Amino acid sequence: MDFLNYAFMQRALLAAVLVGITAPAVGIYLVQRRQALMGDGIGHVAMTGVGLGFLLSTSPVWMATAVSVLGSILMELIRWYGRTRGDIALAMLFYGGMAGGVMFINLAPGGSNANLTSYLFGSLSTVSPSDVIAICLLAAFVVLVTLGLRRQLFAVSQDEEFARVTGLPVRALNLLTAITAAVTVTVAMRVVGLLLVSALMVVPVAAAQQLGRSFAATFAIAIAIGVTVTLGGTITSYYQDVPPGATIVLLTIAAFIALTALATPLARRRARALAAARAASDPLECAIPANQEATDEVGV
């Protein structure tokens, strides 16, 4: 536990816990909406914000948040109105975000592509006190949205047409989901990195679905997995001197494989128990009496 004596590790562990909570909390809605790779696209756009932060000598986290939110709104608008050309527009937005980030950071005084490394793949030593404040504020917003509006967001994620018929503001909720995903990307980029954050939003949810039999159970299990792997990856990174983002993602995938292997026999056992319960509850069929054959032999 000697790592707790260092201020940078205290900040990194706090950030890791917040990332472990927020990423799966948003990811469960993206998985339900079949937009699992949305976080990856927002991560590409956020690179422009990081580059602008260096160029304008402002906080890269807050600038990345602003650019990511604008990018997520554009993505939703393209999804609504893009039709057949929507995929091309999204591709240009994603790759333009990457190119803009590289260009802006090279135009910044003393900037180089090396400055992007900690934002692309995560870094423990570069999480500053100001970053922790920003991460705490952004994480509070994400938790309030994902928990406070969980019923509405779940309804829209499951069936937009049904949600619209029931009177829910579907487009506003879709925009809010996209904005929350954008905020989550900037929360996670200092620990996991922009290029790997999407995995932490999706894989814990996929792992939780192997065991959870309801939305609430899946939500809780996904967050538990997220916190466990982010803390485990951060501590492992400190002792083994390996990249934290890659370590966290590999641990997440390992958790998915382990839970899948555990869930398979459990699912078979549940299926057998269900079949046995149904057989026991079914009414007995009209059985032929034992003396029926002898009765049939007697003539009329």
Side-chain angles (χ1 to χ4, degrees):
M1 301 291 285
D2 60 317
F3 56 84
L4 292 177
N5 297 326
Y6 299 99
F8 79 93
M9 276 301 295
Q10 295 172 7
R11 294 192 296 268
L13 289 171
L14 176 59
V17 170
L18 295 176
V19 170
I21 294 172
T22 55
V26 176
I28 192 168
Y29 300 108
L30 298 181
V31 171
Q32 292 291 329
R33 289 155 55 99
R34 294 177 177 84
Q35 294 180 331
L37 294 180
M38 185 177 183
D40 187 54
I42 295 175
H44 286 65
V45 176
M47 288 178 61
T48 293
V50 173
L52 278 174
F54 280 100
L55 181 62
L56 302 177
S57 299
T58 60
S59 170
V61 174
W62 287 113
M63 187 60 69
T65 302
V67 173
S68 297
V69 168
L70 290 175
S72 66
I73 293 173
L74 280 175
M75 290 169 64
E76 275 300 302
L77 293 176
I78 291 171
R79 190 172 72 89
W80 293 343
Y81 303 112
R83 294 186 176 89
T84 56
R85 292 290 181 179
D87 57 339
I88 298 176
L90 287 174
M92 288 191 294
L93 181 64
F94 297 164
Y95 299 128
M98 292 182 64
V102 173
M103 181 62 69
F104 287 139
I105 203 166
N106 278 277
L107 292 176
S112 67
N113 291 341
N115 299 112
L116 277 176
T117 302
S118 63
Y119 292 91
L120 293 177
F121 303 105
S123 175
L124 297 180
S125 59
T126 57
V127 180
S128 65
S130 61
D131 289 337
V132 171
I133 294 173
I135 290 171
C136 289
L137 293 174
L138 295 172
F141 168 78
V142 173
V143 171
L144 285 174
V145 171
T146 54
L147 289 180
L149 297 174
R150 61 188 182 278
R151 297 182 185 275
Q152 294 88 337
L153 294 177
F154 176 75
V156 173
S157 300
Q158 285 292 104
D159 191 336
E160 287 190 6
E161 292 301 323
F162 176 77
R164 188 175 289 108
V165 169
T166 59
L168 290 175
V170 173
R171 288 195 172 181
L173 290 170
N174 281 335
L175 273 177
L176 184 60
T177 302
I179 291 171
T180 308
V183 172
T184 303
V185 168
T186 55
V187 168
M189 69 179 182
R190 300 300 276 153
V191 176
V192 185
L194 292 172
L195 296 184
L196 300 174
V197 63
S198 184
L200 197 58
M201 298 170 75
V202 174
V203 181
V205 177
Q209 287 177 336
Q210 306 301 312
L211 298 180
R213 304 183 67 181
S214 67
F215 177 79
T218 303
F219 191 94
I221 295 171
I223 290 178
I225 294 171
V227 172
T228 301
V229 297
T230 50
L231 284 177
T234 302
I235 296 171
T236 302
S237 177
Y238 169 78
Y239 282 112
Q240 302 298 324
D241 193 23
V242 291
T247 306
I248 290 170
V249 171
L250 290 175
L251 286 177
T252 309
I253 294 173
F256 172 79
I257 294 172
L259 289 178
T260 301
L262 177 64
T264 301
L266 287 177
R268 291 175 181 170
R269 187 178 302 174
R270 287 173 183 167
R272 293 194 204 101
L274 181 60
R278 286 178 177 173
S281 62
D282 284 343
L284 294 175
E285 297 292 333
C286 296
I288 299 176
N291 60 346
Q292 181 68 46
E293 186 175 359
T295 305
D296 290 342
E297 293 177 356
V298 178
V300 178

